[in-house]
Amino acid sequence: MNYLIDEGKGLLILNAYDGLTAAAARKVDGLDINTTICGQVARSGIPAILEDLQNSQDESTVLLRRTGLQAFACHPLQIDGKGFGTLSFGSKSRTSFTADELDFMKAVTDRLSGAIQRSRSEEALRESEARYRSVLENSRDVIVRFNVQTGIYEYVSPSCEILTGYTSAEYTSMDIKAILDMIHPDDLPAVIAAQARSLETGEAEVEYRQRKKNGEYIWISNRMSVIYDDSGKPLYRNINLRDVTERKKADQIKDEFIGMVSHELRTPLTIIKGAVRVAMNKDLPIEQVYDLLNDANTGADALANLLDNLVELSRYQADRLKLTKNIMDTGSVAQEMVDKRAESDKSHIFTADIEPGLPLVPADKIRLEHVIGNLMDNAVKYSPEGTEVKVSVHRRADYLLFSVSDQGKGIPPKDQAKLFQPFERLGEKSTTRPGLGLGLLVCKRLVEAHGGKIWVESAPGKGSTFYFTLPVDGDQTKIQ
């Protein structure tokens, strides 16, 4: 009889038997591991040899006597010293076993323990390999095994097709030259140097552009580790490929942003410092001093607007953009913005078209002024001097429709979709116009925080009109 331990139930489960009827086998299945003879052998690891069973008075042998056995030998099955079951031998015709028979039983038990151990080890290895292969085949990174001696790619994980457009079979059929031909020529020397370094140090990492099957280049991070034989000869290079295109784009945007911020901060500061320095000349007429101070004030306003935009975007990114809404006359806010701008800026003609009787709506006054101010700034930047910049507010069903229009050269349709993205400057590629290209993005974030929408309508040669909405609460009272 062969029992296996069920640790969870604390029982010995009959795994195999011979010489017993099915009915008899059922009676000796599910033995208590703590009170039965086989249970004691399994726990202690000490064999039990019982002779002349039918004349035994030991209560622990009752089940064995019921099977008609005269002699019984139970041996522990162990792996690394830990019991996992028993193997038992019995005789109904003899009351004892010979020494040779007992030695044979022990040898059989030891061989069975070894066979089960190997089987379990092989099963564990298969499970481990299956898990490892599952990880490889489901990883978004591409895992590659390259034979350094033969120059053959022996394994390429399935995600290769997602990353490069080539299937694993196509990739493994390529030689090293074909793979290197995919790498951008400007990056190839760094890749070759990294490969050589990996053979010397055992590992290396390099980032480069690689051409996909469709001809598009993407940025790849390649981490290599080398496996050597006992003599130190390199056998395999294990490679992990990861698409880092988005990170590279983010790094580029960050670098451009730092450069732009440095430039945009320096420009108004230069104006302020220069104006104040000259204005400190005691011999200057008072009229020139006023002009210089006005220049300094203009520079300070530009600097404040830049910092305001940066602060708003920072709050949004950190999920700390909180509105302070009050019920207000947004038409009056827009009119005040136009009046102030017309008084301080004579470069354009600023007009307002405010529908009478607009309802009061909940809004953050400072943020609303920020949105209108940014849109007016854009209109001034991208329209000729002396032309009209018009701010309008009208009721449309369940929302208020705001608009800021100019008489500039307009925006091509292909550029309009990019307007509300970071660092886009109305399609202008020149750096002659000031600004970080953040104003419209800030407008979008602030309008959406109010529950509204923002968009542009424009055509080349016909100027541009930027629209945004604010929801109307139907219970609010109209302005008299």
Side-chain angles (χ1 to χ4, degrees), residues 278-333:
V278 176
M280 291 174 65
N281 188 335
K282 298 179 180 180
D283 298 329
L284 280 180
I286 190 65
E287 294 82 2
Q288 291 187 27
V289 172
Y290 285 151
D291 288 342
L292 289 168
L293 291 178
N294 186 59
D295 290 342
N297 185 62
T298 300
D301 286 342
L303 183 59
N305 186 59
L306 170 63
L307 294 176
D308 285 343
N309 282 335
L310 290 173
V311 168
E312 293 290 24
L313 285 181
S314 175
R315 287 173 177 159
Y316 177 83
Q317 291 297 114
D319 197 25
R320 291 189 294 106
L321 180 58
K322 306 297 181 185
L323 301 183
T324 304
K325 290 184 179 181
N326 292 294
I327 303 302
M328 67 182 63
D329 176 5
T330 54
S332 295
V333 174

Side-chain angles (χ1 to χ4, degrees), residues 12-258:
L12 286 177
I13 305 302
L14 187 60
N15 182 57
Y17 63 90
D18 185 37
L20 294 177
T21 65
R26 284 194 296 270
K27 294 179 179 179
V28 293
D29 191 11
L31 302 181
D32 189 315
I33 197 171
N34 295 308
T35 60
T36 59
I37 292 174
C38 290
Q40 294 171 8
V41 170
R43 288 189 297 109
S44 67
I46 301 173
I49 312 298
L50 305 177
E51 299 179 341
D52 197 13
L53 269 175
Q54 295 302 320
N55 294 317
S56 173
Q57 301 301 314
D58 189 340
E59 291 186 1
S60 64
T61 64
V62 171
L63 285 176
L64 294 175
R65 295 201 304 271
R66 288 175 181 174
T67 63
L69 292 175
Q70 297 278 357
F72 181 76
C74 182
H75 291 266
L77 293 172
Q78 294 181 315
I79 293 179
D80 297 329
K82 182 178 180 181
F84 64 88
T86 62
L87 183 62
S88 303
F89 304 85
S91 174
K92 293 182 178 180
S93 60
R94 290 184 293 133
T95 59
S96 63
F97 300 111
T98 67
D100 289 341
E101 288 173 335
L102 292 174
D103 288 343
F104 174 76
M105 294 175 192
K106 184 178 184 308
V108 170
T109 302
D110 290 344
R111 294 193 64 178
L112 180 58
S113 293
I116 292 176
Q117 181 173 6
R118 287 191 297 273
S119 175
R120 290 190 174 183
S121 297
E122 290 170 358
E123 182 180 355
L125 180 60
R126 285 193 297 270
E127 291 177 354
S128 176
E129 289 176 345
R131 288 194 297 270
Y132 180 65
R133 182 169 292 276
S134 176
V135 170
L136 292 182
E137 294 183 352
N138 290 285
S139 171
R140 298 186 66 177
D141 291 355
V142 179
I143 311 300
V144 179
R145 185 176 178 88
F146 176 73
N147 190 315
V148 177
Q149 300 302 316
T150 64
I152 294 175
Y153 289 90
E154 295 185 350
Y155 175 80
V156 179
S157 62
S159 53
C160 172
E161 188 169 5
I162 298 175
L163 186 70
T164 68
Y166 294 97
T167 66
S168 298
E170 289 174 322
Y171 215 90
T172 53
S173 67
M174 299 179 191
D175 58 21
I176 185 67
K177 182 180 182 304
I179 300 297
L180 292 177
D181 284 344
M182 298 181 194
I183 297 172
H184 194 286
D186 293 345
D187 301 331
L188 188 57
V191 175
I192 294 175
Q195 290 176 337
R197 188 167 65 253
S198 72
L199 296 177
E200 296 173 0
T201 65
E203 58 184 17
E205 185 170 357
V206 63
E207 293 183 352
Y208 54 87
R209 288 160 290 179
Q210 179 169 320
R211 187 177 64 253
K212 298 176 63 174
K213 192 174 185 178
N214 63 6
E216 173 193 357
Y217 275 100
I218 58 173
W219 276 96
I220 296 289
S221 171
N222 184 332
R223 296 174 59 189
M224 317 172 202
S225 60
V226 176
I227 297 175
Y228 303 87
D229 65 10
D230 293 339
S231 66
K233 182 172 68 175
L235 298 178
Y236 297 99
R237 182 185 289 122
N238 292 329
I239 300 169
N240 183 293
L241 302 177
R242 176 173 295 180
D243 185 349
V244 294
T245 304
E246 292 304 315
R247 175 169 64 76
K248 282 290 187 178
K249 288 180 180 178
D251 289 344
Q252 182 180 0
I253 290 174
K254 179 184 69 176
D255 293 342
E256 291 175 354
F257 174 73
I258 292 173

Side-chain angles (χ1 to χ4, degrees), residues 373-391:
N374 276 351
L375 294 178
M376 292 175 71
D377 286 344
N378 275 322
V380 169
K381 285 180 188 177
Y382 297 98
S383 63
E385 289 191 9
T387 59
E388 182 184 26
V389 173
K390 185 177 182 179
V391 177

